[in-house]
Amino acid sequence: KEIDSKQSDVSSSLDEKESEITNLEKEQEQLDADIKSIDLQVAETSGEIREKEASIEETKQKIEELKAEIEVVKARIAERNKLLEDRARSLQESVGMDSYLDVLLGPQSFGDFVGRVSAVTTIVEADREILKAHEEDKLLLEQAEADLNSQLQSLEQSLTELEGLKEQLSAQVKQKQELMKKVEQQHGEAVHEYHELENEAEFLAQQEKAIKLEQQRQKEAAEAA
């Protein structure tokens, strides 16, 4: 009866331990799937980070190129301004007091006066149109630079967010891996305990068999007597 009771307890313990092992194995499978999934997210995030970094470098390069273009346009504008000032000075000189008196006193030179004024005025107006175009180009370039700077800020913000996400995912992987180690240890201990219970069950079975053989021998001896 004592052996039967022990066998019943061991059998119940074996069932419980087998169920525990099955649950631990399922937990291991789930953790493994979680780790693989997070690893994939980390890889994807790393790829996005590389793309953002490349875009940032490209945008910075474009900004530098635009700055250089703006400086060139500014230099042209300054050059053109100086030219306008020089021509305005020449115009003043060409229609100075002496010329004005010549026009008043010598009607024959009036046509020359008008021609000179008209020619210089035409050149100045043309220069002003070019200067205006240069100013417009400068404004467009500055607007493009401002847009790129805004785009750069947005890219850098996205990069910061992606790097934060990568850190979070990496932390999750680490947590899952630590949990996996614990579960693996629990699984190993459970399997060891299961084998010990199997050995105990085998020992009890042998005891039961020995007792039954002894009972049979005693019965046969009693019948022979």
Side-chain angles (χ1 to χ4, degrees):
K1 285 181 181 179
E2 185 181 349
I3 289 173
D4 284 343
S5 176
K6 286 184 179 179
Q7 282 180 320
S8 177
D9 290 343
V10 169
S11 178
S12 177
S13 295
L14 278 168
D15 289 341
E16 288 176 5
K17 195 58 64 176
E18 187 175 8
S19 176
E20 181 185 347
I21 289 169
T22 300
N23 289 334
L24 286 168
E25 286 173 348
K26 286 180 180 177
E27 191 173 351
Q28 280 179 299
E29 288 175 5
Q30 185 59 53
L31 282 169
D32 186 56
D34 290 345
I35 289 169
K36 286 178 180 176
S37 175
I38 298 171
D39 278 339
L40 182 61
Q41 291 179 60
V42 169
E44 289 175 351
T45 304
S46 296
E48 289 179 20
I49 286 173
R50 286 192 295 273
E51 288 176 5
K52 290 293 180 196
E53 287 173 340
S55 295
I56 285 170
E57 287 307 311
E58 185 181 347
T59 303
K60 284 181 177 178
Q61 181 63 33
K62 286 180 180 177
I63 288 171
E64 290 305 313
E65 289 171 1
L66 277 174
K67 282 181 178 177
E69 287 183 47
I70 289 168
E71 289 307 313
V72 169
V73 172
K74 282 180 179 177
R76 286 178 184 167
I77 290 170
E79 224 176 284
R80 185 64 62 176
N81 270 328
K82 187 175 181 303
L83 183 60
L84 281 174
E85 288 172 6
D86 291 343
R87 284 185 178 164
R89 200 174 295 111
S90 296
L91 176 59
Q92 254 183 341
E93 291 171 358
S94 69
V95 293
M97 185 57 70
D98 292 341
S99 297
Y100 182 63
L101 290 173
D102 288 342
V103 170
L104 291 177
L105 298 173
Q108 291 180 350
S109 63
F110 183 73
D112 294 335
F113 171 76
V114 172
R116 275 181 291 154
V117 172
S118 178
V120 174
T121 302
T122 301
I123 292 169
V124 170
E125 287 302 321
D127 282 342
R128 281 185 180 145
E129 286 300 316
I130 293 170
L131 188 60
K132 182 181 175 184
H134 282 168
E135 288 286 358
E136 289 173 354
D137 287 344
K138 184 169 78 74
L139 288 173
L140 286 172
L141 289 169
E142 286 173 345
Q143 182 58 49
E145 183 188 4
D147 292 342
L148 280 172
N149 276 316
S150 175
Q151 184 181 339
L152 180 62
Q153 287 180 356
S154 177
L155 286 168
E156 288 175 339
Q157 177 65 29
S158 296
L159 179 62
T160 301
E161 290 172 1
L162 285 168
E163 286 172 342
L165 175 60
K166 185 180 178 181
E167 286 180 8
Q168 290 176 4
L169 291 170
S170 297
Q172 286 180 26
V173 169
K174 187 177 179 181
Q175 288 175 352
K176 296 283 184 182
Q177 287 173 338
E178 288 174 356
L179 183 57
M180 175 69 92
K181 286 179 182 177
K182 289 180 182 178
V183 172
E184 286 174 346
Q185 184 180 353
Q186 290 173 351
H187 181 266
E189 290 172 356
V191 169
H192 177 71
E193 290 168 2
Y194 184 83
H195 290 324
E196 286 185 338
L197 287 167
E198 282 184 323
N199 291 336
E200 188 177 353
E202 179 63 24
F203 175 73
L204 290 171
Q206 289 176 355
Q207 279 191 321
E208 182 183 28
K209 184 178 179 182
I211 289 170
K212 285 182 178 179
L213 286 172
E214 179 59 24
Q215 287 175 337
Q216 183 65 28
R217 188 189 67 76
Q218 289 179 1
K219 181 181 177 184
E220 289 175 355
E223 289 175 354

